[in-house]
Amino acid sequence: MSLSYSLQLPFPSPVFLSPRNTIEKRLGNLRTLHSSKEGGQQHTENDRSQYQVILLERYGNGTIKRYMLDDDDDDDDDLQIRAFLEKHDSTSNEFQGSNLSDPNLSWLPQVLKEFILPAGFPGSVSDDYLQYMLLQFPTNVTGWICHTLVTSSLLKAVGVGSFSGTAAAASAAAIRWVSKDGIGAVGRLFIGGRFGNLFDDDPKQWRMYADFIGSAGSIFDLTTQVYPAYFLPLASLGNLAKAVARGLKDPSFRVIQNHFAISGNLGEVSAKEEVWEVTAQLLGLSLGILILDTPGLVRSYPVLVSTWASMRLLHLWLRYLSLSALQFNTINLKRARMLVQSHILQSRVPGCIDCNRDENILLWQRFIKPRIIFGVPMEEMLGSGRSTSMLKTLLRIYAREKYILVVNQQRIDFEVFVSFKVGATSVSVLRSVWQTYWLQENLNVSEDIFDQLAKSLSMMDERFNEFIQQLDKGGWDIHQINLRVPKEISIDECPV
């Protein structure tokens, strides 16, 4: 399907990182507004022959947008950019970085592949990954069947169903109990499928958030004592929250364990962590039993709740301290911002210890200044000034870069839009961050914005190698830069 339209969209309101569903929604709206009538396909192809392709914008769902110029018009200022949307079959999608066309899974929908497989599969994992997971899945199914069957025996052993004198009562209680666990498991399913690519970037933040969400789940469990008639919905909500917390905790802590295992001894580090964990569990259970055995505590619900709240706040504070003690030498977006800002302002970069100590674990990226919006479509970057000369100027300025960066001049506070070209890497993201901070410190609103963009790139060419050298001397791993290139949108230049 091919669609033609002129870029007449107004400049957008503040934009956040464009996820796949946002891109598909935007394209879906365009297809609805500009759908061609019968016979319009041939008309579009004839019209397109008189235009010259200047830029391709590739979307993760296989759609390609072609930005074209009229060959018969030599006046760039009056020339209007035209764009054509082309919906490609997902099986023939050549979008770089998706790599989900494994012949063994060609029958699976693209959305499901992205939900159950790591990004970049099969190139991002070892050759035995798929076979292992296909065998592991039925293994886990049979394990949970066994768990369901023995639950009724456990409940019956502790007296559930003893008043009715039937095993059916214990089975019914087991069904409700397992259903509660099943509802909670949905949270882990959603977290693992939708947000699996976040944990490598910032494991400290997500491990902390896991404890916050787990604390919220415990509140539902405490409420069951007040409303026993609503045990199942309350306990299910508690399990859902705690399952989401576990979905955040487990992958985050695996990254942390891998950080510890500098000698490749991940198995031993994991085993020894289990020793610490079990010892703490036994000690915590013992102290908890002593607290519950305290006269008057069990009969006083307010005292029980206040005791739990005190212990939970202490738990969260200790968790924050433990995560703050971690000293990662890899560069994620938060640490990249701190390192770049220090280099631009002071011509030096902090070491791993200082940077990790000052890193704000709880702060979300979207609230960090200056605002950097990655993966923005070109038409939104051009905004209301969508002349051909503007697009050509941007392509010329960023000819040697794997990204295009523009300043959002419609906002009072400083904000930039970044779109990445095909072949962009983590270093490309780091260079865009460096340019952003230089522009924030040196931007002059009275000067031409394109001249300042060119000047910022010139300054980056002079100082970026020095920046990398300082990172290396400061103990940072310059070979493992965890700055993810958005794969939802990628632009490809066409020589004019």
Side-chain angles (χ1 to χ4, degrees), residues 60 93-101 110 114 118-122 487:
N93 180 22
E94 298 177 355
F95 177 63
Q96 183 168 337
S98 60
N99 293 329
L100 294 179
S101 57
Q110 187 81 1
E114 294 172 352
F121 176 87
K487 298 299 183 182

Side-chain angles (χ1 to χ4, degrees), residues 358-378:
D358 297 337
E359 181 182 2
N360 190 329
I361 298 175
L362 301 178
L363 187 61
W364 285 71
Q365 291 289 349
R366 66 179 55 183
F367 299 119
I368 301 179
K369 303 294 183 180
R371 283 170 49 86
I372 307 175
I373 314 300
F374 294 115
V376 180
M378 182 57 63

Side-chain angles (χ1 to χ4, degrees), residues 107-178:
W107 52 274
L108 277 179
Q110 187 81 1
V111 174
L112 185 57
K113 288 181 183 179
E114 294 172 352
F115 192 81
I116 65 175
L117 296 172
F121 176 87
S124 61
V125 294
S126 60
D127 295 338
D128 53 359
Y129 174 83
L130 181 59
Q131 182 180 5
Y132 173 81
M133 296 307 299
L134 290 176
L135 292 173
Q136 185 76 355
F137 180 77
T139 303
N140 291 333
V141 171
T142 54
W144 282 105
I145 291 174
C146 296
H147 168 77
T148 304
L149 295 176
V150 302
T151 299
S152 61
S153 298
L154 292 172
L155 293 176
K156 188 176 182 180
V158 297
V160 176
S162 59
F163 297 102
S164 61
T166 63
S171 298
I175 291 174
R176 290 194 296 271
W177 191 268
V178 172

Side-chain angles (χ1 to χ4, degrees), residues 466-483:
E466 175 201 3
F467 172 60
I468 296 296
Q469 291 173 5
Q470 289 191 19
L471 291 177
D472 193 21
K473 293 179 181 178
W476 296 98
D477 188 353
I478 59 176
H479 303 292
Q480 188 176 353
I481 302 176
N482 295 328
L483 300 177

Side-chain angles (χ1 to χ4, degrees), residues 431-442:
R431 289 178 68 87
S432 69
V433 173
W434 198 100
Q435 183 186 7
T436 298
Y437 275 84
W438 190 93
L439 284 169
Q440 183 192 35
E441 295 298 324
N442 298 277

Side-chain angles (χ1 to χ4, degrees), residues 86 98 106 119 164 171 183 207 228 252 294 297 305 308 312 322 332 348 359 387 389 401 438 442 460 478 489:
E86 294 183 358
S98 60
S106 58
S164 61
S171 298
I183 294 174
R207 183 64 186 89
S252 298
T294 302
L297 179 61
V305 172
W308 172 86
R312 200 65 192 180
S322 65
N332 64 0
R348 57 173 296 272
E359 181 182 2
S387 66
S389 59
E401 298 294 335
W438 190 93
N442 298 277
M460 183 167 62
I478 59 176
I489 298 179

Side-chain angles (χ1 to χ4, degrees), residues 368-416:
I368 301 179
K369 303 294 183 180
R371 283 170 49 86
I372 307 175
I373 314 300
F374 294 115
V376 180
M378 182 57 63
E379 64 186 61
E380 295 185 8
M381 297 181 72
L382 295 175
S384 56
R386 54 193 175 276
S387 66
T388 302
S389 59
M390 179 179 179
L391 179 56
K392 284 186 175 181
T393 301
L394 286 175
L395 294 178
R396 175 179 53 81
I397 291 175
Y398 291 98
R400 295 169 52 192
E401 298 294 335
K402 285 296 183 180
Y403 68 90
I404 294 178
L405 180 149
V406 298
V407 179
N408 183 358
Q409 297 177 285
Q410 303 299 314
R411 288 179 60 94
I412 298 177
D413 55 331
F414 185 81
E415 179 182 77
V416 299

